[in-house]
């Protein structure tokens, strides 16, 4: 049977080598996001940060629609907010389906195809209102163009994540910076926890959470997110 409407475009993220060579495009299936995955950011949001791995409980998860990805270097200032915040994050791109059942942490990294740097753009005023009323975060997090993302770099070119530093400059001034060794749940832990709740598939992206320093963006702001000198995201708010 024919489609009864024009098929929506599949969201895609470019993949590039360390030298910038185009390697292809990554079709996006789902975007999972992790909340409160850096203690310094949890504290700046007024939440308790776990004192140890044993006390970390379970991660906070939410989702964005696949077509929230922005790869063109410009993201529109969204409607419905007067307090749009940046959250720079490591993005994990899955290249394989998870096997049935719960994914063991020691098997998780074999699913990872590539990494990127993303912005979890957040309507902070709407999130604060939702939190105050105990309501879902969807309208604060899952809006159009809420997920600017860099080109992806194959995982083999990134190497040991724990020794890497994630950072964000806005208009040339550093706003956020943290070693990835500060993640409360690392990539293997997060994929393990997600697999208890969802069937992970090739094409899934995971935004891993942001370190401290989140703040407001204005139209005209230039954001540059980096993972060391390996990956760079450039996004102007328009
Ligand atoms: Mn976030």
């Amino acid at each position: 049977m024919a489609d009864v409407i024009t098929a929506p475009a599949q969201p895609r993220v470019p993949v590039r080598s360390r030298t910038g060579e185009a390697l292809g495009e990554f079709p996006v299936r789902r975007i999972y996001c992790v909340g409160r995955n850096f203690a310094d950011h949890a504290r700046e949001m007024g939440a308790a940060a776990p004192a140890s791995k044993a006390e970390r409980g379970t991660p906070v998860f939410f989702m964005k629609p696949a077509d929230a990805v922005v790869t063109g270097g410009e993201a529109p200032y969204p409607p419905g907010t007067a307090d749009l915040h940046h959250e720079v994050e490591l993005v994990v791109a899955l290249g394989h389906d998870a096997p049935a059942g719960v994914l063991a942490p020691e098997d998780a990294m074999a699913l990872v195809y590539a990494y990127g740097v993303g912005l979890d753009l957040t309507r902070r005023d709407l999130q604060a209102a939702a939190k105050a009323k105990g309501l879902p975060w969807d309208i604060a997090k899952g809006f159009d163009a809420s997920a600017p993302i860099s080109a992806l770099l194959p995982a083999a070119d990134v190497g040991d994540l724990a020794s890497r530093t994630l950072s964000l400059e806005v208009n040339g001034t550093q706003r956020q910076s943290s070693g990835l060794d500060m993640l409360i749940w690392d990539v293997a832990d997060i994929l393990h926890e997600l697999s208890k709740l969802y069937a992970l598939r090739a094409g899934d992206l995971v935004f891993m959470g942001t370190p401290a320093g989140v703040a407001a963006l204005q139209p005209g702001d230039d954001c540059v997110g980096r993972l060391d000198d390996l990956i760079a995201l450039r996004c102007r708010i328009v």
Side-chain angles (χ1 to χ4, degrees), residues 106-117:
E106 56 268 30
D107 297 332
M109 300 310 279
L111 301 187
V112 177
Y113 168 71
Y115 295 103
V117 171

Side-chain angles (χ1 to χ4, degrees), residues 33-36 41 62 64 86-89 119-122 124 127 137 141 207-210 214:
C33 301
V34 187
R36 297 175 196 157
H41 174 62
F62 58 92
K64 292 175 184 268
H86 56 74
E87 298 190 358
V88 70
E89 309 203 358
L119 285 179
D120 166 18
L121 292 178
T122 301
R124 192 70 74 202
Q127 186 192 33
W137 294 6
K141 291 289 197 178
F207 277 59
M208 285 291 295
T210 199
V214 301

Side-chain angles (χ1 to χ4, degrees), residues 2 12 33 40 65 88 95 100 112-113 130 147 168 179 187 196 199 218 228 231:
R12 292 172 190 278
C33 301
D40 58 358
V88 70
V112 177
Y113 168 71
L168 178 71
V187 174
K196 296 176 180 176
Q218 306 299 334
D228 289 335
I231 303 174

Side-chain angles (χ1 to χ4, degrees), residues 54-68:
E55 293 172 35
R56 64 187 178 172
T58 53
V60 175
F61 290 126
F62 58 92
M63 295 177 80
K64 292 175 184 268
D67 69 352

